[in-house]
Amino acid sequence: MFTNKFLTANTEKLTRLARCFPHYVYEEIVEPIHQIEQESWKNIDAENTMLDFVFARAMKQFTKDNAEKYEHIYTKKFEIPQIQLFELLIKKFPMISMTQQLANTLICERLRGWKEAVLVDIGAGTGYQAREIVRRLGHEPLRQLQKITIVAIEPFAEALEAAKQNFEEIAKEVPFEVNYILKNEFSENMSLQDWSVLLSGLGDNIVVNASFALHHIKSNRERIKVFQNLRDISVQAIVLSEPNVDHYEPNYYQRFKNCLHLFSLIFEAIDELQLTDEEKNALKLFFSREVDDILGVHESDRVEKHYAVGQWLALLQEVGFIATKKDLNLYFDNYCSIEIHDSYYDFWSIRYKNEDVISVIMAEPLEVVLTDLFEKKANKYLVSISNSEFFNK
């Protein structure tokens, strides 16, 4: 078991109790969980109690006991509406903002030299990230881009309305044409024909962004289907950003340990931020809803089913995508103990205290990688021939 300043005596009790889940949840197991939840709630403003409350609450929810009576009080206590939580996360939590900056850099570099491009954003949300990518492209000094089409795929219609506004606003700011297509759907529900119709007439310069979205696809079979469809429509690259943790794990106790490892690090990182206590608690509230799903919902209904980076790499390779790392000059300011780590050969990592918390992968179809490799070798050969004595005679 790892050590972390957030692990209290109650945390250790919850860890032992998690061994009994899901098959041996009797009254003698439920009652101490209830007591820890009550005790943590009463001392919610004390140091290190929030994590215990969040995990006890999720475990109690799993037992079908009614934890909903706390939901309204919990939200009201921190007085930040839900609609603001995600914006706060992007703007004020460096793990997320650094992840998006890195992904945006990779996408912009991949689009370099293209006159027309298509950016497919799976799980586009309000279009915040796609808007920032377009804004960044507008400031490229050697820009050749003349037209970009954003294809925003998002299952929640209200978010797409906000995305539409964001895309229309950014189109007025940049010196090239910006078009957008809004698709109100889950990517796993789209057939190859759906994809083909959606992208018909847009050209072959297609790059896909999937930021904290694809782990919501429930089954491995459905994930393979999504990547296979992207492979079949000949996308040039995928940039995938995901937490580096295995919550796909069906064993409750192992999933509990994985979950505790990740979120104890995240809660500790949040406490290092120069934010008000209210803002810190709001960020923790956002993540607590993920814990509710990971540990408080039965297996058939869970949607927060994260893969660790090795699982994503294996899935991509199975479908015919190869993780690639370009020779890029990436400069990002580290924040406290949060840093971008780029020494792995097939992905980048957002680290906290030497732990890989988030992974960012850029993957390309095998034939694209081989074509690029062949062209580089051919160019190198031509240069060597042109510099040879025989050629210059």
Side-chain angles (χ1 to χ4, degrees), residues 184-195:
N184 184 204
E185 186 57 275
F186 291 94
S187 61
E188 60 268 34
N189 291 341
M190 295 174 61
S191 66
L192 178 57
Q193 183 178 2
D194 292 332
W195 280 104

Side-chain angles (χ1 to χ4, degrees), residues 188-314:
E188 60 268 34
N189 291 341
M190 295 174 61
S191 66
L192 178 57
Q193 183 178 2
D194 292 332
W195 280 104
S196 299
V197 171
L198 185 66
L199 301 176
S200 177
L202 297 181
D204 298 326
N205 293 338
I206 305 170
V207 171
V208 176
N209 177 57
S211 181
F212 303 105
L214 296 186
H215 66 261
H216 293 131
I217 301 175
K218 288 186 178 182
S219 73
N220 183 66
R221 178 183 56 81
E222 290 176 310
R223 295 178 187 192
I224 290 174
K225 172 191 166 187
V226 169
F227 282 115
Q228 187 63 60
N229 285 339
L230 296 175
R231 181 86 163 76
D232 290 343
I233 61 174
S234 301
V235 303
Q236 298 297 299
I238 298 173
V239 176
L240 177 68
S241 305
E242 286 286 348
N244 182 30
V245 62
D246 181 7
H247 289 147
Y248 197 85
E249 170 62 57
N251 180 274
Y252 191 96
Y253 178 60
Q254 184 59 53
R255 191 167 73 248
F256 178 96
K257 292 195 295 181
N258 295 349
C259 187
L260 182 60
H261 190 177
L262 175 69
F263 288 106
S264 62
L265 288 169
I266 288 177
F267 277 30
E268 186 174 356
I270 288 172
D271 272 1
E272 285 191 11
L273 304 178
Q274 299 300 311
L275 299 176
T276 66
D277 288 342
E278 182 185 60
E279 289 173 323
K280 290 178 182 179
N281 286 332
L283 291 178
K284 293 174 183 178
L285 172 61
F286 179 91
F287 288 112
S288 77
R289 289 171 181 156
E290 296 208 343
V291 178
D292 283 344
D293 184 271
I294 296 163
L295 298 177
V297 178
H298 287 258
E299 185 64 24
S300 61
D301 299 320
R302 293 198 302 116
V303 296
E304 297 294 337
K305 304 183 79 170
H306 307 100
Y307 267 175
V309 62
Q311 293 167 294
W312 286 118
L313 290 169

Side-chain angles (χ1 to χ4, degrees), residues 88-135:
L88 184 68
L89 188 73
I90 294 173
K91 295 176 181 178
K92 296 199 173 183
F93 190 37
M95 279 189 189
I96 304 302
S97 58
M98 290 167 72
T99 299
Q100 288 206 349
Q101 290 176 41
L102 174 57
N104 294 356
T105 298
L106 297 175
I107 290 169
C108 290
E109 288 290 336
R110 193 62 182 81
L111 299 181
R112 188 181 297 276
W114 291 356
K115 291 184 179 180
E116 294 189 7
V118 178
L119 173 62
V120 176
D121 196 1
I122 299 178
T126 61
Y128 178 89
Q129 186 176 7
R131 183 193 68 189
E132 294 308 302
I133 291 170
V134 173
R135 176 173 284 132

